[in-house]
Amino acid sequence: MVAYTDKIKEISRRLLKECQVEMVIGFRKGTLPMMNEPCFVKNPEDVDQLVWDSNCGINLANYLTNRGEKIGIIAKGCDSRNIVTHIIENKIKREQLVIIGVPCDGMIDRRRIIRMYSEEILEVEETGGKIIVKGADFEDTLKKADVLQQNCAVCIHRNPVIHDELVADPVAEQKDVDRYADIREIEAMDPEQKWDYFENLLSACIRCYACRNACPLCYCPTCFVDESRPQWVGKSQNPMDVRTFHFLRAFHCAGRCTDCGACERACPVGINMRVFTKKLEKDSFEQFGWEAGLSLDERPPLDTYKPGDPDDFIK
Amino acid sequence: MEHMGIEPGRIQFSWVSSAESTKFVDVVNEVTATVKKLGPSNNFVKTKVKVA
């Protein structure tokens, strides 16, 4: 990880010094353990703030929307796929970007680790696949593989799909992971169980829209939930309004979602809203053989027509 | 929608050309029949908040 950080700093410093980019988007240490925050470096002197570890789960593609300047961006596998999606959707031009690819071996699930201990965690370090958690009067070592974010545990695109620079050799991609076990479990339920499952899932939602704000796909100038003329969806905590928000947001991500997990990570009450987007991701994969953000040359399934598109739902 | 717990059959898609009037009638009849069989929808109903 230290090697990654050093390499990121070295590349960023070079890019800024040579004026190849006006700004580098990366991560710096947050004020709390396991909370890195996005950071925008504009001067070569400030490059030393940049870090890389297993808490860089935020999707940085989110900060590229409609930018005009030349940007260096640090991208792990999922970020790079969202950058591709941004380019395809004309939200940024490829020429504007210098993509600093980071082969990623997963981000850790901060919430799960916090839940594991009754005391407050004051410091978290990591070395070679181990996470060392320190509190006021305890210290514990965890295996990183055991505390990965759910989406990272089933990720099959850990290496950046496009990059101009690469900070390390590509990591081995995970093979034979069952990506959709949780979705199949829901699919097997009968309608009533499904309804209750989601009722339960969303009961804690406070409609803060953190999931939307963290999502690189959610870049509409005015989101449908913020519109008031016409008002598409009620703004209350009513379970129907909450549900409408979540499933409409998921539909907007159909065929675009890369399952980066930014939404779930951002949620202050820990709702796994990925079960919505992931269902659509599964459908796009199974029905259109599509995985979002893998290539700049292919149009997404929802804006092209192919004679072989599935149509058995139309009577 | 079905993934979320809406009963299968309550939502239907159809493609009817403006020249296919009989098909249109058939589709409407079929859809109403299926939905009637399912009964009134209990899900996705917004009730007014009760105030004291």
Side-chain angles (χ1 to χ4, degrees), chain A residues 198 240-241 243 247 315, chain B residues 1 3 12-14 46:
Chain A
F198 286 109
M240 284 315 98
D241 292 336
R243 194 181 277 245
F247 94 92
K315 285 182 195 154
Chain B
M1 293 288 273
H3 178 64
Q12 300 190 24
F13 295 85
S14 191
K46 200 169 160 182

Side-chain angles (χ1 to χ4, degrees), chain B residues 23-44:
Chain B
K23 185 179 172 191
F24 181 70
V25 174
D26 291 346
V27 167
V28 171
N29 284 335
E30 202 189 313
V31 172
T32 29
T34 345
V35 175
K36 268 187 187 159
K37 216 192 260 170
L38 284 169
S41 174
N42 300 316
N43 300 338
F44 254 101

Side-chain angles (χ1 to χ4, degrees), chain A residues 114-160:
Chain A
I114 291 174
R115 266 202 308 272
M116 285 160 85
Y117 303 98
S118 51
E119 287 125 291
E120 195 187 344
I121 296 167
L122 299 174
E123 211 185 321
V124 175
E125 285 169 27
E126 52 178 303
T127 41
K130 293 258 188 318
I131 309 283
I132 301 156
V133 185
K134 287 180 195 163
D137 47 3
F138 77 98
E139 190 176 322
D140 197 11
T141 309
L142 301 166
K143 254 172 77 187
K144 179 172 166 182
D146 296 339
V147 289
L148 283 183
Q149 272 187 175
Q150 281 174 337
N151 63 309
C152 296
V154 295
C155 172
I156 53 166
H157 296 286
R158 293 181 144 183
N159 294 302

Side-chain angles (χ1 to χ4, degrees), chain A residues 244-258:
Chain A
T244 309
F245 160 62
H246 278 284
F247 94 92
L248 268 180
R249 196 189 84 82
F251 268 128
H252 287 181
C253 303
R256 305 163 69 217
C257 178
T258 58

Side-chain angles (χ1 to χ4, degrees), chain A residues 64-116:
Chain A
L64 292 179
T65 315
N66 298 332
R67 302 295 305 206
E69 68 267 66
K70 286 209 78 175
I71 297 174
I73 180 163
I74 291 161
K76 49 192 182 298
C78 45
D79 297 28
S80 74
R81 292 174 65 196
N82 277 107
I83 294 171
V84 169
T85 308
H86 254 65
I87 297 170
I88 287 181
E89 293 174 356
N90 294 325
K91 287 288 126 191
I92 189 105
K93 291 196 187 75
R94 178 70 183 90
E95 306 82 76
Q96 276 172 267
L97 297 174
V98 177
I99 301 166
I100 308 166
V102 181
C104 163
D105 51 7
M107 294 294 144
I108 54 176
D109 187 340
R110 171 175 52 91
R111 277 200 196 86
R112 187 148 26 130
I113 296 178
I114 291 174
R115 266 202 308 272
M116 285 160 85

